[in-house]
Amino acid sequence: MDLSSDIPESEELSFGKESDREPRATTWLRKLASPLTSPRVWTSVAAAVSMAVLMLGAVSDSWDERGQWPLPPPRGPWPETGTFSAFLCDSKDQHERCRDGGSATAAERQEVEKVLAGMPEIKDFRFESREDAFANMRTIPELAAVLKPDDLPESYRGVLRPGDWRSVLKKLESLEGISNVFVFRDSFWWGKADISVAFCADVSLAKRCEGRGRATEAEKQAVLDRIREIRGIEKIYVEDRPHAAKVNAHVWWEAPPGSGGRLNEIGEAFYAKLAEPGAAARIKRSVEGMAGVESVVEVAGP
């Protein structure tokens, strides 16, 4: 099944329908409306019944939505804010702007900071040491296993407001001591989901997907069934490959068309919006390692 469209509505999980409860509610109300019931009792009971009906409606709405999981991705918004990374030259850098100059000097770093502070598009920025970069990289086991802190360059990273980002790129790339600069739009999923469960694609670099091909329909359904059992989940979205490609193109806005990855290199994914923080750990424990799952990653902001 294509997760975005091939789960028939008739096969959605059912958590009960309003019609199943109406006969009992109607009988109850008829008894309470009996002439033998005193006005005072009726007034009190009517208030209680009204509250119960409201609560029943709220629960019913929640159940109905849960029965529709997974939902299609939200329509928007598509963020117009972003982040940047400006990497500094070091003695190991083979970039053409760094081969003769070696590592960035203190004076060059000072000039970079001055330029960053004067750009209206830059909301804030920070210096990231090799140690900080390695600590962040440890969240990606495949990279952490083959890298050391000395392998990573120092950099300046920051948050971008909407504006002329091409001028930001051009200005930073012109500075002495800078090897290369990357500017990304914020991910579509920031603020919309808290954790993702990505599936193996036709072609995948992840070790757990090596040589096995795309996740099967049965594998994806098994993962969905497992997630549905976990408490503390507010919504579950499904992302098909075309939407994932669109998200990649949005993030890599300045890259040539198609550089966000070919469809056979992109897998489907579930995204979950959580009602309580502990649900993230429960999802990881429950589905990480299941057949067809490439990764279970929390959706972090900038």
Side-chain angles (χ1 to χ4, degrees):
M1 67 179 174
D2 182 345
L3 290 174
S4 65
S5 59
D6 289 351
I7 299 178
E9 291 183 1
S10 60
E11 296 182 8
E12 293 168 355
L13 290 181
S14 173
F15 288 80
K17 296 181 181 293
E18 189 69 34
S19 59
D20 296 334
R21 293 186 291 271
E22 281 179 356
R24 284 172 287 176
T26 303
T27 301
W28 186 35
L29 287 172
R30 284 198 187 114
K31 289 181 179 179
L32 289 172
S34 168
L36 298 177
T37 306
S38 69
R40 174 178 290 184
V41 172
W42 171 247
T43 301
S44 300
V45 172
V49 170
S50 297
M51 181 61 69
V53 170
L54 288 174
M55 292 175 64
L56 182 62
V59 172
S60 176
D61 289 345
S62 175
W63 286 357
D64 287 346
E65 184 172 85
R66 189 179 180 95
Q68 294 171 14
W69 290 354
L71 303 168
R75 295 193 177 188
W78 289 82
E80 292 302 323
T81 52
T83 58
F84 75 89
S85 297
F87 293 97
L88 297 175
C89 297
D90 63 26
S91 57
K92 298 179 181 180
D93 206 318
Q94 297 300 308
H95 198 282
E96 60 183 6
R97 289 196 287 265
C98 303
R99 289 175 184 170
D100 297 331
S103 298
T105 65
E108 288 170 342
R109 286 175 50 174
Q110 188 174 16
E111 179 62 20
V112 171
E113 292 179 7
K114 180 180 177 182
V115 170
L116 291 173
M119 287 186 175
E121 293 88 354
I122 296 179
K123 183 177 180 180
D124 59 55
F125 66 91
R126 69 183 187 281
F127 173 74
E128 184 174 85
S129 66
R130 291 183 177 88
E131 291 72 23
D132 291 337
F134 184 72
N136 293 333
M137 197 69 67
R138 291 176 65 182
T139 60
I140 308 175
E142 290 83 1
L143 293 179
V146 297
L147 293 175
K148 303 184 296 294
D150 287 348
D151 295 325
L152 301 173
E154 296 177 324
S155 65
Y156 286 96
R157 299 177 183 270
V159 177
L160 290 165
R161 301 184 180 95
D164 185 2
W165 292 358
R166 295 193 185 281
S167 69
V168 174
L169 268 172
K170 186 175 180 180
K171 181 63 177 178
L172 292 179
E173 288 175 342
S174 71
L175 297 176
E176 296 292 332
I178 294 285
S179 62
N180 47 45
V181 182
F182 295 96
V183 176
F184 305 102
R185 281 201 190 101
D186 288 340
S187 170
F188 170 82
W189 287 105
W190 289 356
K192 300 181 181 72
D194 300 296
I195 192 167
S196 69
V197 179
F199 292 101
C200 297
D202 294 313
V203 178
S204 179
L205 297 178
K207 193 171 185 65
R208 67 183 64 180
C209 298
E210 192 174 26
R212 58 143 290 141
R214 187 179 177 187
T216 67
E217 309 310 314
E219 288 168 342
K220 289 179 280 191
Q221 186 64 53
V223 171
L224 176 60
D225 293 341
R226 184 76 62 85
I227 295 175
R228 277 172 157 162
E229 296 173 354
I230 297 171
R231 73 179 189 278
I233 298 177
E234 181 180 324
K235 295 178 186 291
I236 300 174
Y237 299 103
V238 62
E239 181 174 69
D240 62 10
R241 294 187 296 164
H243 190 273
K246 184 178 178 181
V247 169
N248 288 349
H250 176 82
V251 171
W252 293 80
W253 62 277
E254 84 284 11
S259 59
R262 294 185 294 272
L263 279 182
N264 68 335
E265 298 171 342
I266 298 174
E268 297 92 346
F270 292 130
Y271 283 84
K273 181 69 174 173
L274 306 180
E276 54 183 78
R282 290 193 287 271
I283 291 173
K284 291 195 85 168
R285 287 195 303 268
S286 184
V287 306
E288 202 168 38
M290 289 185 70
V293 174
E294 178 183 281
S295 63
V296 184
V297 180
E298 293 192 41
V299 180

